[in-house]
Amino acid sequence: MLLQGNEILQKAHKEFYGVGAFNFVNYEMLRAIFEAAHEASSPIFIQASEGAIKYMGIDMVVDMAKTMARSYPHIPVALHLDHGTSFDSCKNAIEAGFTSVMIDASHHEFEENLEITKRVVEFAHQRGVSVEAELGRLMGIEDNISVDEKDAVLVNPKEAEIFVKESGVDYLAPAIGTSHGAFKFKGEPKLDFERLQEVKRLTNIPLVLHGASAIPEYVRESFLSTGGDLKGSKGVPFDFLQESVKGGINKVNTDTDLRIAFMAEVRKVANNDPTQFDLRKFFTPGIEAMKKVIVERMHILGSAGRI
Ligand code: PH4
Ligand code: ZN
């Protein structure tokens, strides 16, 4: 059975650990996530973006998630809409069976973000669904960024306090210097942990880290060794992830690491045997590679062994 997102994150919030929220666009990713959760005895968030929903079809996403959840009844799991861009997008996901939605209106002015989020919260809560919202913009921060520039893109803790009180949102994604994809930082990785702690202190709800892929060295190496190109790529180091969890992050969004790990294996099979065209020969090692990345992450975030 799919659980309400808040059931999983309230526990993580009280006990100060992070739960991996893994994106999926097909059966192989979903299977890797569940097998990893089983192996590490960890709760999970499985999440689909609007792009993933468009690719798979919303009923396929929900049915696949429910079928997997039924096969692993001991694993606490929530099905989450990642980066819902409108009220209608969240409403459709809720009506289809999602148990958690993100309304991402962070590109709007504060007041408008608040209004849209309030509407989603009201609709979702009446139906037992949890809601995530975002404040600030997802982008890396440079070493030489000025205080004013930083304040313009990162979350404002005082605003976060007001936003959470007035919207009734269940969890919040505060921008603290991460970004999506494989190229997160130009120089040394840098996140604003003080700002994060302040947001946690003032809101006292579960917090979410977007753009949290680490691109572990062995994953990068594996991709490069097959002739892949990841020049200039940089993820969030493991010790930063742990520092984030200490600072109050409870949901840790991860997609890029899985994509790279999977594609490295596909490339490997294609390079090693140009005559191969059995899909299972490509995807089986791909699933194993993603599983390894996920299990490792569960240990780093502290969600392993929580069930
Ligand atoms: N996400 C994943 C967003 C995926 O449109 P799309 O399916 O490509 O969207 O919300 C993350 O925060 C993942 O961060 P990562 O890139 O560091 O894995
Ligand atoms: Zn994201």
Side-chain angles (χ1 to χ4, degrees):
M1 197 183 73
L2 298 171
L3 299 180
Q4 225 189 91
N6 218 14
E7 282 182 55
I8 295 173
L9 290 189
Q10 276 302 327
K11 184 168 186 290
H13 169 62
K14 288 188 186 106
E15 298 175 19
F16 269 86
Y17 61 88
V19 176
F22 301 99
N23 288 72
F24 67 101
V25 300
N26 59 15
Y27 163 74
E28 285 72 22
M29 295 180 97
L30 198 56
R31 193 171 128 192
I33 302 163
F34 273 91
E35 285 186 8
H38 174 70
E39 192 174 311
S41 296
S42 169
I44 41 172
F45 262 66
I46 50 175
Q47 54 186 22
S49 66
E50 290 178 352
I53 289 172
K54 193 167 169 209
Y55 179 71
M56 285 187 282
I58 197 157
D59 291 335
M60 180 61 78
V61 170
V62 174
D63 288 354
M64 232 158 55
K66 284 186 176 166
T67 301
M68 286 302 253
R70 247 198 325 275
S71 308
Y72 292 89
H74 57 296
I75 296 175
V77 51
L79 174 62
H80 177 80
L81 171 69
D82 190 23
H83 293 284
T85 52
S86 63
F87 174 81
D88 283 345
S89 177
C90 294
K91 179 175 178 279
N92 288 342
I94 292 166
E95 287 176 342
F98 281 64
T99 57
S100 173
V101 293
M102 174 187 190
I103 173 67
D104 181 0
S106 56
H107 48 288
H108 292 297
E109 290 299 317
F110 180 83
E111 284 302 331
E112 198 169 348
N113 186 354
L114 181 58
E115 281 319 305
I116 301 171
T117 304
K118 263 187 189 166
R119 249 187 103 200
V120 173
V121 168
E122 192 188 348
F123 185 85
H125 283 182
Q126 280 168 3
R127 290 157 183 82
V129 171
S130 310
V131 181
E132 171 185 333
E134 180 170 307
L135 279 177
R137 267 182 289 147
L138 282 181
M139 56 189 283
I141 43 175
E142 310 285 317
D143 268 348
N144 52 4
I145 190 170
S146 71
V147 174
D148 284 354
E149 284 169 322
K150 216 167 153 178
D151 281 344
V153 292
L154 300 187
V155 63
N156 174 328
K158 289 259 169 354
E159 277 187 3
E161 183 183 19
I162 297 166
F163 188 90
V164 166
K165 269 204 192 105
E166 295 201 1
S167 67
V169 79
D170 299 283
Y171 18 102
L172 180 75
I176 57 162
T178 57
S179 61
H180 289 144
F183 307 91
K184 301 185 187 302
F185 307 101
K186 289 222 177 67
E188 282 304 299
K190 207 172 168 58
L191 296 183
D192 196 333
F193 294 116
E194 274 173 34
R195 197 176 288 255
L196 169 64
Q197 283 162 13
E198 190 61 0
V199 172
K200 189 71 170 188
R201 191 179 69 77
L202 293 173
T203 62
N204 195 29
I205 63 167
L207 299 179
V208 182
L209 190 66
H210 280 254
S213 275
I215 319 185
E217 201 42 47
Y218 68 91
V219 174
R220 189 203 323 272
E221 261 316 301
S222 179
F223 193 80
L224 295 182
S225 71
T226 62
D229 184 0
L230 274 177
K231 239 180 258 117
S233 61
K234 214 166 276 177
V236 181
F238 286 156
D239 55 334
F240 276 39
L241 289 179
Q242 288 180 319
E243 192 70 28
S244 303
V245 169
K246 268 196 210 134
I249 292 291
N250 304 108
K251 174 175 176 281
V252 182
N253 284 12
T254 312
D255 187 358
T256 298
D257 279 353
L258 308 193
R259 294 182 184 191
I260 297 175
F262 181 79
M263 285 313 299
E265 296 307 312
V266 171
R267 296 175 66 91
K268 215 173 279 173
V269 176
N271 289 347
N272 290 345
D273 183 1
T275 68
Q276 188 55 255
F277 49 73
D278 179 343
L279 272 64
R280 292 162 295 189
K281 296 280 195 291
F282 292 85
F283 294 170
T284 305
I287 292 170
E288 285 308 310
M290 291 190 287
K291 203 168 128 186
K292 181 176 169 191
V293 168
I294 299 168
V295 168
E296 175 179 61
R297 186 159 270 257
M298 288 165 167
H299 286 280
I300 287 163
L301 302 178
S303 69
R306 300 281 176 173
I307 52 174

